[in-house]
């Protein structure tokens, strides 16, 4: 049965993707991403594997690791993302006010230049989940910064001087910028934030040389807005039909429909395709938006050059839990059930690990990567629909009545903190949350620029457990965990796997940990000055391998500490669950760079 179905869809995918052009591919970055001595894009490479072939630091000598040097950013609140390394320069970003530091590695990290944009600090109040920023991008001698106020700015990588800037959105209606830009071909791509403010999601491409807008693709609306072709754009192998981005909405609700695109974008240069996800539909009160709310909570495959949608897949139609679908799409070419396939693997907020054929958009697998997940029992691979558990519906009970014990909580079994994939072990390394919630929908009226949430949440660990976090090694073909490490708090740090047989990750208490990639045995740990919600990277300088990470606790999980909130249901429900974190660490951005001496 299964084999027949695959065969049928393979034919379809071959037809779909036959005429492929990569004429616009940016050759410089295509080469640079394979150079392990540098770290040229936030997720390490276009496939978003966060894997490095470096192995000077390995499972035998990692126990001797020590701090080589460190650097204070001088900025409090949450430091997500991680620095880039281009040649002898390291580029370090901060949360609002979005400073960028160019550190000269040939001068022990001396500051070559600093850039600090002028932004209205009113934007702080409309950033839902701390004033985070997930990093800068590099291409063609420029550094690209996506500011909190949505401005995209191109800086001369040598001097920090502004080459151009472009305004992507309007903070007056709650639109903000938190995502790292992605460079592909001659375009710089950015998504928007503001799903908690009734913002309509879009992905926008700008020319890297001029800052001129090339295309914009919305997550909902008519085909002219979503850049969908009713006949050619597919969902699970079938044409989407006309104006599918309006189909799952009542009246004009789609105009406040969320589906923001604040996560990561991957790129397959062989098919000139970008992949990213869209977030929650607006509001969080599902009763106010009957229908499937297309295309929120959706994996998108788009042509880089035109923005036209090739295929879509909606993971959580008519969301009732804020399970944003924005987590990274990891592109892996490997065997799947005896056949070489070009896969897209995605660990969603909703707790399912999706495996798709990225050429055709066929759904190959979907299994829970946290056993606590209880809002759905499984995903039907034929229809693509989650098999929902009726008791966990937040709509069924009606407004102002909480549904209790839903797992995962709104911040998901994993949030934006990106996974790592090691081709050496064939395993994914998942930085996980292990959190459940009570969810009480409330009626909310739309006021431009004000929160448009419509739900009160309370979060806590799964019943009978105390750990809010898990670090999991996952076999994507067996669709099973191989080992896991329980962590007291969420693992809100993007791990790094290397050919040294080591995986590095950070904890919210502030530990940088190195573990054996095969067994999970902890080989090294060091407590950095603040909790780690940043992503680990590695590079060489002067022939020597270094490992670098940003500390600086905050983000959604630590919003209580970052923004000084104290009520259990504050911070969209996160404050109560993570209250104990302040016993372990404090605010403050610091870069720590590690080496093995000798
Ligand atoms: Ca959201």
């Amino acid at each position: 049965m299964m084999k027949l179905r695959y065969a049928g869809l393979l034919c379809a995918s071959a037809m779909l993707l036959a005429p492929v052009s990569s004429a616009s591919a940016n050759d410089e970055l295509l080469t640079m991403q394979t150079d392990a001595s540098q770290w040229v894009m936030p997720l390490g490479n276009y496939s978003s594997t966060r894997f490095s072939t470096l192995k000077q630091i390995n499972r035998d000598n990692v126990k001797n690791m020590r701090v080589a040097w460190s650097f204070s950013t001088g900025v409090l609140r949450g430091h997500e993302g991680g620095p880039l390394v281009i040649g002898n320069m390291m580029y370090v970003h901060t949360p609002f006010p979005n400073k960028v530091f160019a550190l000269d590695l040939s001068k022990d990290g001396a500051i070559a230049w600093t850039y600090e944009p002028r932004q209205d600090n009113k934007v702080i109040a409309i950033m839902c989940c701390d004033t985070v920023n997930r990093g800068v991008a590099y291409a063609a001698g420029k550094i690209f910064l996506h500011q909190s106020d949505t401005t995209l700015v191109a800086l001369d990588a040598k001097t920090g001087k502004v080459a151009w800037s472009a305004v992507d959105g309007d903070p007056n209606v709650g639109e903000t910028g938190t995502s790292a830009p992605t460079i592909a071909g001659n375009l710089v791509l950015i998504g928007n934030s503001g799903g908690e403010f009734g913002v309509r999601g879009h992905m926008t491409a700008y020319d890297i040389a001029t800052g001129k807008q090339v295309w914009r693709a919305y997550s909902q609306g008519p085909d002219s807005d979503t850049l969908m072709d009713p006949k050619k754009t597919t969902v699970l192998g079938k044409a989407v039909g006309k104006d599918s981005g309006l189909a799952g909405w009542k009246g004009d609700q789609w105009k406040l429909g969320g589906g923001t695109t604040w996560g990561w974008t991957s790129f397959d240069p062989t098919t000139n395709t970008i992949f990213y996800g869209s977030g929650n539909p607006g509001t969080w009160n599902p009763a106010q938006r009957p229908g499937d709310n297309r295309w929120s909570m959706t994996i998108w495959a788009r042509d880089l050059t035109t923005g036209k949608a090739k295929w879509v897949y909606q993971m959580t139609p008519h969301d009732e839990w804020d399970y944003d679908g924005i987590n990274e799409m990891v592109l892996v070419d490997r065997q799947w059930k005896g056949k070489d396939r070009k896969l897209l693997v995605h660990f969603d907020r909703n707790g399912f690990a999706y495996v798709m054929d990225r050429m055709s958009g066929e759904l190959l697998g979907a299994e829970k990567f946290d056993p606590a997940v209880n809002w759905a029992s499984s995903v039907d691979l034929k229809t693509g629909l989650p098999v929902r558990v009726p008791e966990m519906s937040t709509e069924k009970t009606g407004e102002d009545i909480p549904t209790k014990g839903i797992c995962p909580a709104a911040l998901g079994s994993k949030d934006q903190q990106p996974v790592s994939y090691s081709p050496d072990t064939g395993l994914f390394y998942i930085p996980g949350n292990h959190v459940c919630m009570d969810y009480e929908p409330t009626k909310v009226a739309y006021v431009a620029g004000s929160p448009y949430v419509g739900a009160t949440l309370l979060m806590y660990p799964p019943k009978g457990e105390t750990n809010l976090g898990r670090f999991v090694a996952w076999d994507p073909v067996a669709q099973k965990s191989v080992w896991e490490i329980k962590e007291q708090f969420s693992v809100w740090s993007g791990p790094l796997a290397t050919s040294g047989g080591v995986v590095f990750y950070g904890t919210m208490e502030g530990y940088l940990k190195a573990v054996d990639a095969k067994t999970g045995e902890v080989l090294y740990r060091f407590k950095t000055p603040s909790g780690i919600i940043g992503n680990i990277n590695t590079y060489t300088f002067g022939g020597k391998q270094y490992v670098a990470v940003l500390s600086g606790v905050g983000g959604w999980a630590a919003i209580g500490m970052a923004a000084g909130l104290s009520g259990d249901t504050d911070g969209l429900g996160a404050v109560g669950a993570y209250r104990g974190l302040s016993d372990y660490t404090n605010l403050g951005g610091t870069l720590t760079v590690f080496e093995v001496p000798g």
Side-chain angles (χ1 to χ4, degrees), residues 195-196 260 262 279-280 284 322 324 349 556:
E196 281 59 55
T260 52
W262 54 276
N280 67 280
W284 284 19
D322 187 42
D324 289 43
R349 278 254 285 265
W556 188 1

Side-chain angles (χ1 to χ4, degrees), residues 80 88 97 129 190 212 220 224 231 282 303 330 391 428 455 487 538 580:
E80 287 182 349
N88 67 325
C129 311
I190 54 172
K212 194 171 161 272
Q220 59 285 96
S224 54
K231 292 197 182 115
D303 179 77
V330 187
E391 295 74 31
F428 281 85
E487 290 286 353
T538 190

Side-chain angles (χ1 to χ4, degrees), residues 251-583:
D252 278 349
Q253 184 66 26
W254 60 273
K255 292 180 180 168
L256 310 172
T260 52
T261 51
W262 54 276
W264 310 94
T265 300
S266 301
F267 175 51
D268 183 346
T270 64
T271 59
N272 201 42
T273 311
I274 59 163
F275 302 91
Y276 67 93
S278 52
N280 67 280
T283 91
W284 284 19
N285 179 353
Q288 289 184 237
R289 44 171 172 76
D292 282 348
N293 311 133
R294 290 180 189 145
W295 293 99
S296 63
M297 308 306 213
T298 294
I299 299 177
W300 294 85
R302 290 187 185 276
D303 179 77
L304 170 67
T305 310
T306 62
K308 284 258 187 257
K310 293 185 175 180
W311 58 260
V312 288
Y313 168 60
Q314 188 178 38
M315 294 169 285
T316 315
H318 190 64
D319 168 71
E320 303 176 56
W321 310 272
D322 187 42
Y323 294 153
D324 289 43
I326 61 83
N327 292 353
E328 73 289 351
M329 312 293 162
V330 187
L331 313 184
V332 175
D333 297 349
R334 63 170 286 164
Q335 286 251 315
W336 170 267
K337 319 238 158 148
K339 197 178 265 181
D340 284 325
R341 297 199 80 141
K342 290 180 178 292
L343 302 176
L344 176 153
V345 183
H346 170 79
F347 297 86
D348 197 60
R349 278 254 285 265
N350 74 14
F352 285 87
Y354 293 86
V355 182
M356 305 196 68
D357 183 313
R358 70 176 183 269
M359 309 295 277
S360 62
E362 181 189 356
L363 179 61
L364 302 176
E367 292 292 334
K368 295 175 184 180
F369 61 92
D370 182 346
V373 173
N374 66 8
W375 69 277
S377 56
S378 61
V379 173
D380 183 321
L381 295 184
K382 268 211 179 99
T383 63
L385 295 172
V387 179
R388 296 177 187 231
V389 174
E391 295 74 31
M392 294 303 154
S393 165
T394 67
E395 185 166 10
K396 209 175 146 210
T397 47
E399 284 167 356
D400 306 318
I401 301 167
T403 300
K404 297 189 174 179
I406 305 161
C407 310
L411 37 68
S413 299
K414 186 185 90 64
D415 200 272
Q416 57 71 36
Q417 59 272 35
V419 297
S420 174
Y421 172 74
S422 166
D424 294 347
T425 61
L427 301 177
F428 281 85
Y429 300 93
I430 311 168
N433 308 320
H434 193 53
V435 192
C436 304
M437 67 175 168
D438 299 346
Y439 190 113
E440 180 180 335
T442 53
K443 190 134 207 95
V444 62
Y446 177 75
V447 178
S450 297
Y452 188 55
V453 177
T456 305
L457 277 62
L458 185 70
M459 299 185 191
Y460 41 81
K463 203 173 178 189
E465 298 182 75
T466 55
N467 60 304
L468 294 164
R470 304 161 70 229
F471 188 64
V472 180
W474 177 264
D475 181 329
V477 176
Q479 300 184 86
K480 274 187 194 144
S481 68
V482 177
W483 52 257
E484 81 168 77
I485 299 170
K486 289 184 189 350
E487 290 286 353
Q488 186 176 353
F489 300 101
S490 288
V491 183
W492 206 274
S493 155
L496 165 78
T498 73
S499 285
V502 183
V503 184
F504 300 91
Y505 70 99
T507 74
M508 290 185 75
E509 297 101 314
Y511 287 104
L512 181 283
K513 292 189 179 180
V515 304
D516 186 309
K518 283 205 177 117
T519 65
E521 184 194 347
V522 179
L523 304 171
Y524 173 84
R525 65 173 205 170
F526 176 85
K527 196 169 185 204
T528 65
S530 181
I532 299 174
I533 58 166
N535 308 331
I536 325 291
N537 76 9
T538 190
Y539 63 95
T540 63
F541 188 75
K544 185 172 184 177
Q545 185 182 358
Y546 296 89
V547 170
V549 66
L550 275 174
S551 302
V553 81
W556 188 1
I559 188 67
M561 288 185 71
L565 305 174
S566 57
D568 281 345
T569 60
D570 286 352
L572 299 169
V575 172
Y578 296 84
R579 189 178 298 287
L581 187 57
S582 60
D583 292 343

Side-chain angles (χ1 to χ4, degrees), residues 26-27 90-91 111 126 148 204 226 234 268 308 320 374 390 416 450 458 553:
N26 183 322
D27 293 340
M90 178 186 282
Y91 299 96
I111 302 171
I126 53 163
S148 302
T204 311
T226 58
T234 61
D268 183 346
K308 284 258 187 257
E320 303 176 56
N374 66 8
Q416 57 71 36
S450 297
L458 185 70
V553 81

